């Protein structure tokens, strides 16, 4: 809250902004309360992650004896944990598995969803509203409902592919579908209808209009969904733990295994956690703009 | 595709009377699309090739994916090769599937073709949703009345078991606690951060938002590890290694094993902190764009009327961002109902911290009690139903307002 309000001053009387003391370059008044509070919150929000990073770079005894914030004067720095985590745990293998799981599970759903979103946006048909409402409803359904039936279908009683990558690709494709259709449809409905109309008059089929016009125009939304889906798949524990065998497990499942380690080997935990976080963080920092757009477009996921 | 496009560009609109499905291109074209036909007559070749093509794609892709699992040796047992092939087969297969489905429908007589095309576009996506969400939901309800390996019906036994189970009732209570605290706290923090960030310089806003937003990229398990270090308790060491214990000691307290302190549900609340930490960035992003969308003249008008900044915020800004606040709230509610990872990896429900989703996982995975696990999910499903109804209503209202 600002201490002085401009009560009673008509807009006409407001002096033109002058850059200088108390004002920012864009003419708004500097707010010390906002600066101090936000700085404090930003530090508070970052500190735990910094703690993990620093701890991951400290020797076993340093980790056990002193807090990470004393590392500046107590020392104990080492990169040994990162070597150790690859040599002594399954983290390295799991990292490869995570990449193998995440990339197809991110891209395949987009293909299916984009066509459905196109139909919902640019075609008229009976039951359109009901079907789309079904999508909205299904987004809220917890994915846990699917586990036992899918275990039957994919497990030894069914196809016998439980434990293999295919089961996870399939599940993520299915579970990602409602959000994908919803997000893409919301975006497509903002595209100018006239473009589609003129394509129609030129004799383009829906299939051609889709590929030649709508897909190129929808790239921001496709990217936004892809990032959301990638982070979701990469960070997932539940599906990976239930549907992947031990040799195919992802970094997150490996990290969860490390969390149970006591004594010898427990010093690898922070390094392992950091390795599991590196890829999402890179994705996050490089594609933040799209990520934000994806979040704003489709807020809920079941 | 490209040959079709060339043909398309040169084509004169000669049959402009039919604005719907036009005739196939006149010149070099993919199989089945090479002769101009009357769009109102069935094109048997297209129907046939489309049908056979679609069936073949499904058969081939299906078998290829099964082969990845059954015969990894065919692919040199290389995970990377399998991954790359899966990507190609998945994306290419999806493309070809739509291509052939489209051809099939285009081959049908005009009116039928136009009527069916939307459903053809929807079919694969909806097929996946039906297979992986709708069918399982129904089957799970069915299983909740069956025994531990779903081979015989046991009536309401599973329900009477879980509701008679103190652990389950405790979990319900904990979920309720999470539900009361986490969404509200997240929204409050989100609003505070969004409002304050709006008052910073452009650069300050960008940096502080990025830092608060960053946890969104971190997995629940990763976040749990991060906070495990904050809550760390070491009996042996003379100086605390956990940040919380260090602060607590500086304030004059004795070190605690925080995640074991169940009095006042402190341990549960410490885990809620993790979820709030993860979600405030999300709340901030949505609320921030809503706040920026509040028209300046409404705020200015209130100022002229002599309202204080706090009054302006409470009576002008908040009512205008109410919709976004509800969206954020609902999203976090849905998340909280299913909260699992954090509890599973940090306490696995010990010290009175259990929640429904963790109980479900343990029944399914460790105890192999499919019936009980299904009954627990059904309870979860019932719990999200009001949210679901709200979402649908909200969506309808928005659509009519479009």
């Amino acid at each position: 809250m600002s201490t002085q309000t401009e009560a009673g001053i008509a807009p006409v009387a407001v002096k033109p902004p002058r850059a200088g003391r108390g004002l920012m370059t864009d003419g708004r008044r500097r707010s010390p309360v906002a600066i101090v509070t936000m700085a404090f919150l930003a530090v508070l929000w970052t500190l735990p992650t910094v703690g993990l990073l620093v701890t991951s770079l400290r020797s076993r005894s340093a980790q056990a004896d002193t807090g990470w914030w004393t590392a500046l004067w107590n020392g104990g720095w080492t990169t040994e944990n990162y070597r150790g985590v690859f040599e002594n745990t399954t983290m390295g293998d799991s990292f490869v598995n995570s990449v193998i799981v995440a990339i197809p599970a991110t891209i395949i759903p987009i293909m299916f969803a984009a066509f459905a979103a196109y139909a919902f946006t640019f075609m008229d048909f009976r039951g359109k509203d009901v079907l789309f409402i079904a999508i909205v409803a299904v987004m809220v359904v917890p994915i846990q409902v699917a586990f036992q039936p899918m275990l039957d279908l994919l497990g030894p009683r069914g196809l016998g592919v439980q434990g293999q990558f295919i089961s996870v690709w399939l599940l993520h494709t299915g579970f990602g579908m409602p959000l994908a259709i919803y997000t893409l449809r919301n975006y497509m409905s903002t595209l100018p209808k006239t473009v589609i109309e003129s394509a129609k008059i030129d004799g383009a089929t829906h299939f051609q209009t889709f590929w030649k016009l709508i897909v190129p125009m929808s790239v921001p939304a496709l990217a936004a969904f892809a990032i959301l889906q990638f982070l979701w798949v990469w960070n997932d524990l539940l599906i990976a733990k239930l549907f992947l065998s031990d040799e195919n497990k992802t970094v997150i499942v490996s990290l969860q295994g490390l969390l149970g380690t006591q004594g010898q080997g427990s010093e690898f935990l922070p390094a392992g956690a950091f390795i599991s976080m590196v890829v999402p963080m890179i994705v996050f920092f490089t594609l933040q703009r799209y990520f934000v757009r994806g979040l704003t477009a489709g807020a809920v996921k079941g | 595709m490209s040959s079709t496009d060339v043909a398309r560009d040169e084509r004169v609109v000669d049959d402009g009377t039919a604005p719907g499905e036009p005739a196939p291109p006149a010149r070099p074209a993919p199989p089945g699309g090479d002769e101009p036909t009357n769009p109102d007559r069935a094109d048997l070749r297209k129907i046939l090739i489309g049908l056979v093509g679609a069936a073949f794609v499904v058969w081939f892709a299906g078998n290829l994916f099964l082969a990845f699992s059954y015969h990894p040796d065919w692919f040199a047992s290389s995970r990377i090769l399998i991954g790359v092939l899966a990507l190609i087969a998945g994306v290419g297969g999806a493309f070809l599937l739509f291509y052939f489905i489209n051809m099939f429908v285009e081959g049908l007589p005009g009116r039928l073709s136009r009527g069916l095309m939307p459903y053809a576009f929807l079919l694969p996506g909806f097929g996946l949703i039906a297979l992986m969400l709708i069918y399982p939901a129904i089957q799970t309800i069915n299983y909740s009345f069956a025994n531990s390996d779903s081979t015989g019906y046991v009536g309401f036994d599973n329900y009477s078991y879980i509701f008679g189970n103190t652990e389950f009732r405790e979990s319900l209570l904990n979920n309720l606690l999470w539900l009361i605290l986490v969404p509200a706290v997240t929204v409050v923090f989100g609003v505070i951060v969004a409002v304050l960030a709006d008052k910073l310089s452009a650069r300050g806003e960008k940096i502080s938002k990025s830092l608060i937003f960053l946890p969104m990229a971190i997995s629940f398990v990763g976040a749990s590890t991060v906070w495990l270090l904050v809550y760390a308790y070491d009996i042996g060491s003379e100086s605390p290694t956990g940040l919380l214990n260090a602060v607590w000691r500086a304030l004059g307290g004795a070190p605690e094993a925080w995640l074991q302190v169940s009095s006042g549900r402190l341990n549960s609340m410490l885990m809620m902190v993790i979820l709030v930490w993860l979600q405030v960035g999300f709340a901030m992003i949505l609320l921030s764009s809503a706040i920026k969308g509040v028209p300046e003249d409404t705020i200015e008008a209130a100022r002229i009327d002599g309202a204080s900044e706090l009054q302006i915020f409470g009576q002008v800004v908040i009512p205008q961002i109410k919709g976004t606040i509800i969206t954020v709230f609902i999203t976090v509610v849905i998340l909280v109902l299913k909260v699992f990872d954090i509890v599973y990896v940090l306490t696995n429900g010990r010290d009175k911290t259990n929640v429904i989703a963790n109980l479900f996982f343990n029944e399914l995975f460790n105890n192999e009690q499919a019936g009980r696990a299904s009954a627990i999910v059904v309870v979860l499903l019932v719990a999200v139903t009001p949210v679901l109804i709200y979402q649908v209503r909200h969506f309808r209202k928005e659509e009519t307002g479009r």
Side-chain angles (χ1 to χ4, degrees), chain A residues 28 97 126 145 152 159, chain B residues 70 79 119 140 143 198 364:
Chain A
R28 288 179 298 156
N97 290 334
R126 277 170 73 99
V145 299
D152 288 345
L159 286 172
Chain B
Y70 297 157
R79 292 173 298 170
Y119 302 106
T140 292
Y143 283 166
D198 199 41
L364 184 71

Side-chain angles (χ1 to χ4, degrees), chain A residues 183 219-229 290-295 297:
Chain A
T183 316
V219 166
L222 298 175
F225 170 76
I227 293 160
L228 273 186
Q229 175 80 355
Y290 291 111
F291 184 33
V292 168
R293 200 176 297 172
L295 280 181

Side-chain angles (χ1 to χ4, degrees), chain A residues 88-153:
Chain A
N88 301 319
T89 74
T90 53
M91 216 64 195
D93 257 357
S94 302
F95 192 86
V96 178
N97 290 334
S98 273
V99 174
I100 295 171
V101 163
I103 292 175
T106 301
I107 296 174
I108 295 172
I110 295 177
M111 287 290 287
F112 293 104
F115 272 99
Y118 177 90
F120 275 125
T121 319
F122 300 111
M123 293 166 143
D124 280 315
F125 53 93
R126 277 170 73 99
K128 182 170 160 177
D129 289 344
V130 174
L131 286 177
F132 199 73
I133 281 172
I135 299 274
V136 175
V138 163
M139 276 202 299
V140 182
V141 171
I143 57 168
Q144 277 95 340
V145 299
F147 289 162
Q148 184 57 45
M150 290 319 279
L151 283 172
D152 288 345
L153 212 63

